[in-house]
Amino acid sequence: MFRYACTIATALAALCVNTNLAYSKEPYKHSKRISELVQPLLDSGTLPAVSIGIIDHKDRWIGNFGRLSKDQPQPPTDDTIYEIGSISKVFTGILLADAIVTGKVSLETSIGDISPEITEVNAEVASAIQLRHLATHSSGLPRMPSNIAPANPLDPF
């Protein structure tokens, strides 16, 4: 079921993301101020590294700050992968809201309507679970799939 929830999140992202944006090679107009705000967090050790992305009309800018870790003194890059944890729920919620406002889906849209593969595996689940249930954590899906055995059960992700 976790795989299916990821499929739904990916499908929502695909509905909403504009891929016609170009990365700006020029410094962002607020990059100096962003650096001033980030530096105290780096200096205090609150954050070892941070990458900030900005979408401004049709331009995209990425600023990378700090060092990956004490053992990895190189700075992050545009390709650095961060563990984002629960903030992905916020991103998914924003994508869902956008898809609803633009009429691509509704809260009553079933997961089977978005991902027919789920219907092939379990038609009852595909028709019973709606986007409303996923967004409000009331779908009845388990927190963790039964086929995942994390190395650290206290930090399964």
Side-chain angles (χ1 to χ4, degrees):
M1 288 298 177
F2 179 73
R3 189 172 114 225
Y4 301 128
C6 289
T7 300
I8 299 301
T10 303
L12 285 173
L15 287 171
C16 300
V17 174
N18 179 351
T19 58
N20 295 325
L21 300 175
Y23 283 104
S24 175
K25 301 295 182 197
E26 299 299 317
Y28 182 62
K29 60 186 171 188
H30 299 295
S31 59
K32 183 178 179 196
R33 179 68 179 132
I34 292 168
S35 181
E36 290 170 355
L37 292 169
V38 167
Q39 197 59 50
L41 298 170
L42 298 171
D43 292 342
S44 70
T46 302
L47 297 173
V50 63
S51 294
I52 298 174
I54 301 204
I55 298 174
D56 187 359
H57 299 283
K58 294 216 177 246
D59 292 324
R60 291 191 288 184
W61 174 85
I62 297 175
N64 300 296
F65 306 91
R67 298 174 182 202
L68 294 180
S69 70
K70 290 178 184 176
D71 299 333
Q72 296 178 294
Q74 66 269 30
T77 69
D78 294 358
D79 297 319
T80 298
I81 297 173
Y82 291 92
E83 180 179 335
I84 61 172
S86 292
I87 197 159
S88 62
K89 294 174 189 145
V90 175
F91 298 149
T92 303
I94 291 168
L95 293 172
L96 175 60
D98 184 69
I100 290 169
V101 167
T102 58
K104 294 174 180 159
V105 298
S106 74
L107 285 174
E108 290 73 33
T109 300
S110 73
I111 61 173
D113 291 340
I114 293 174
S115 183
E117 303 85 32
I118 298 173
T119 303
E120 293 171 14
V121 174
N122 190 328
E124 184 179 343
V125 167
S127 64
I129 297 177
Q130 300 174 343
L131 295 178
R132 166 189 319 279
H133 300 125
L134 296 176
T136 61
H137 303 275
S138 60
S139 67
L141 294 171
R143 180 175 183 272
M144 288 293 293
S146 59
N147 63 347
I148 290 186
N152 179 354
L154 297 176
D155 186 12
F157 303 105

